[in-house]
Amino acid sequence: MSDRDREFSAFVAAQMEPLRGLAYLTCGDWQAAEDAVLIALAKLYVKWRRIDNPGAYARTAVVRAAIDETRRPWWRRERAQSNAMPDRPDLRDDTNAVDDRLRIRDALQKIPARLRAVLTLRYLEGLSIQETAEALGCPEGTVKSYTSRGLEALRTAMGAEVFVSRENYRAARAV
Amino acid sequence: MPHELSDMLQEAKSDAPPPRYSVQDALTAGRKRQQRRRALWAGTGSAAVVLAVAGAVAVPQLLPEGNNRSATVNAGAAATNTEKSAKAPFAYPSTGFSGTFAEYTVGDLTVDGTVLVTPGYQVASITAPGKGQAYEDKNGGRYYAPNVIGHVVTYAKGVFDPAKAQKDPKAGAGWFHEGEKKEAIKPGVPAPYADSTYTWEYADDAWAQVIVQGRLKYPATKLASIAEGLTGAAEKPVKVGIKLGYVPAGFALGSAGTTSDHLESTFAGTSFLRLIKGDFPYENLTGTVGDPFVVQDTQLPILSLQVYPAKEQKYNAPGNEPYCPQEGLCYRYTADKKFFVELNGGGFIGNTEMIKMLNSVEFADLTDESTWFPATEAVS
């Protein structure tokens, strides 16, 4: 195995899971999310030696690929959806955790993919407005506008208050 | 029950099914992709041609006719400037959506002239030698933005509140704030800096700022030199490369120029128009206004249109008709596909209305600024 392959493999081993989560939150389908991650990582492999920040590149490629997944015509998405693995029931749960999770997922699905991507990058990945704009290839103003609209849409969909904790936001940025 | 957003996002992606792909799958996919690219390269003998286009935008000013915010240079404020005999005096525009910055140089820096105008201020960019932000097109080629290191902002009379700036140390005729180092975003990533600013009163109750990237560590004397060099030009309407035949009810021109309200570095051919529904009060400002436009805790509806050179072709389906890949974000390409205009509806109008707007867009020759439209005529 070459040095590049070793470095790349180490990167994938560490980042595959967070990238999968990022893609899932963006496109809302685990199978499509994994396809998006694989596409993004294949692109990253080709450019491995020319990229200074593989984490940022991978994040950008994954989000864009995941958004593209949501744009696919229905006849191309149908197979992926019909083959999508069902969400596993949490058998340990004897509280309302599963209901909450389903409600949250349902609410997220009600807002457009690009708004979901902005919220995920900013409040899960902890990116700044500038970094989010670079990741999505759009103006910073768009990111700000989408953040505002995304939060509003999420509040409406949840029928409950959604807030951003400064502590969590800082913690996310420090990861 | 209130929900914390990052907790919500963590919860939504918990309970994931087992992964279908392994590290080895990713490695194999990467190798296959590389082989395909090499085969393609060998087959064609050359790299694919990258679509590259340039565009440029002119900036208008939103001030109403006959506004009383015009301000001419205060001789007292410029008292430290001893070499201005050949320099045209600077005066704030007397009409809306016009610019009065002249291009001038200070050492190796160039103040490029007006790039954005709003009802409350006009902005000029400061460019240094060298390359700016690097970008990568879809074929892996690199291209660079102009090396814009900051901006000069002249505020209309009575718009700027100097109290905050005046807490900084006095430096010549103005006040200097050195951009401080901020907390690093992640370990191993260089920490960002706040902007460095130099604030001075260029005319009676009319203020201006030189704003540069703090990481560049320009001293107060350099910023003061840029301030002292402020040079006026004949007032002229700001122009943009598109004209709207249809504007949704209630929206009016809010800002215009070759860069957006967020003052990014832009490429030749770029234009920007901000439309606002409602009156945004330009008063008590301590800096430029990006977003949001909030009045009494309410976000005013805003729309933005920005023309980009299609260097990346990053948006799908550059056809002849406007299209909306997402709710609230629509595009239309020029006939030659070298530029596109992005309309961001921000959720304030629907895609049907946005398509109607884009169908009404008339493009100028984006490579020839003489064909562009005055901003006040572009939105009518």
Side-chain angles (χ1 to χ4, degrees), chain B residues 73-84:
Chain B
V73 168
N74 181 326
T80 57
N81 188 350
T82 57
E83 46 162 2
K84 304 300 181 286

Side-chain angles (χ1 to χ4, degrees), chain B residues 39 72 106 108 118 121 126 132 144 184 192 204 231 237 270 288 313 348:
Chain B
T72 52
V106 177
D108 62 349
T118 79
Y121 52 84
I126 306 170
Y144 297 87
D204 203 19
T231 306
T270 308
T288 60
Q313 295 286 307
F348 297 111

